[in-house]
Amino acid sequence: MVKVGVLALQGAVREHVKCLEAPNTEVVIVKKVEQLADLDGLVFPGGESTTMRRLIDLYGFFEPLKQFAADGKPMFGTCAGLILMADTIVGQDSGHLAVINMKVQRNAFGRQRESFETDLHVTGVGEDVRAVFIRAPLILEVGENVEVLSKYKDEIVAARQGNFLACSFHPELTDDHRFHQYFVSIIEEAKSAK
Ligand code: GLN
């Protein structure tokens, strides 16, 4: 049994909860810092990364989240959540939680393709993973220890560094729960390695 939180300060929270629900998973909607204490993993939903960061600071989540990451507890961010996890964001002086060594560009697909859907191969997850992109960020570069999990055309759209997982798109907006199952398997591994 693993206990997974979804950070619920802003964004598409319920959708993630639905995808995570499984017999081996307890899901917690996280609104208070104290709730982080007994979680095995945490999801950052899509939404608006600047707003999420403001609320993270306002409610005193920043240092506890850094500590959560430093403890090696798995994190998974989708879209705005991916931006929160990147250590470099184009046009900004610094990243937010900076737990994945990658450079990202916000709203990278331009007006014409603000939203679209496609099927992608995602290493560890499978074939034909339905991917919904909404004002999505792109991963422009990744560091040495980062594994590229998926590309759309030539662009990197999903990556993993150790226990930290991120994708540009929204697996939580589909009925395909394989991406979340993959995250739960990372949590299970991390837990049994302790
Ligand atoms: N463009 C948003 C941001 O920069 C992310 C969009 C999303 O999460 N759907 O935070």
Side-chain angles (χ1 to χ4, degrees):
M1 189 76 175
V2 296
K3 195 164 174 179
V4 188
V6 181
L7 188 68
L9 300 177
Q10 194 254 346
V13 173
R14 257 177 310 123
E15 292 80 353
H16 277 287
V17 172
K18 237 177 87 191
C19 292
L20 288 163
E21 274 167 351
N24 63 341
T25 311
E26 183 184 342
V27 190
V28 179
I29 294 174
V30 177
K31 295 192 169 182
K32 291 187 181 148
V33 169
E34 301 80 69
Q35 290 174 291
L36 293 175
D38 60 349
L39 295 181
D40 301 311
L42 184 66
V43 173
F44 299 112
E48 192 57 46
S49 55
T50 47
T51 307
M52 256 184 244
R53 173 59 196 272
R54 215 162 19 82
L55 296 172
I56 283 173
D57 290 340
L58 185 66
Y59 294 107
F61 267 97
F62 192 78
E63 286 306 324
L65 288 174
K66 289 291 284 180
Q67 189 56 49
F68 195 91
D71 291 342
K73 290 192 179 175
M75 291 174 155
F76 174 28
T78 66
C79 201
L82 169 146
I83 297 166
L84 288 180
M85 295 174 79
D87 67 359
T88 309
I89 303 165
V90 172
Q92 299 190 17
D93 291 341
S94 55
H96 300 294
L97 296 167
V99 293
I100 299 182
N101 185 357
M102 62 183 177
K103 180 173 171 182
V104 303
Q105 185 180 350
R106 297 177 63 197
N107 304 315
F109 287 93
R111 279 271 165 83
Q112 299 302 317
R113 289 190 300 158
E114 268 203 344
S115 314
F116 61 97
E117 294 189 29
T118 187
D119 292 319
L120 297 174
H121 164 82
V122 184
T123 303
V125 176
E127 299 302 325
D128 297 321
V129 176
R130 193 77 185 147
V132 179
F133 290 82
I134 305 168
R135 290 181 298 111
L138 262 185
I139 303 170
L140 300 178
E141 286 167 30
V142 297
E144 255 179 42
N145 303 322
V146 181
E147 186 187 358
V148 171
L149 299 182
S150 187
K151 285 187 174 181
Y152 169 68
K153 302 192 170 158
D154 280 333
E155 323 268 26
I156 306 171
V157 293
R160 173 178 176 178
Q161 181 170 8
N163 290 335
F164 307 124
L165 180 66
C167 62
S168 304
F169 49 91
H170 294 273
E172 74 278 13
L173 299 182
T174 71
D175 293 329
D176 186 345
H177 297 174
R178 285 177 292 168
F179 217 119
H180 289 76
Q181 284 163 5
Y182 177 58
F183 179 55
V184 169
S185 75
I186 292 174
I187 299 173
E188 282 168 338
E189 271 169 40
K191 233 187 140 172
S192 64
K194 265 193 204 156

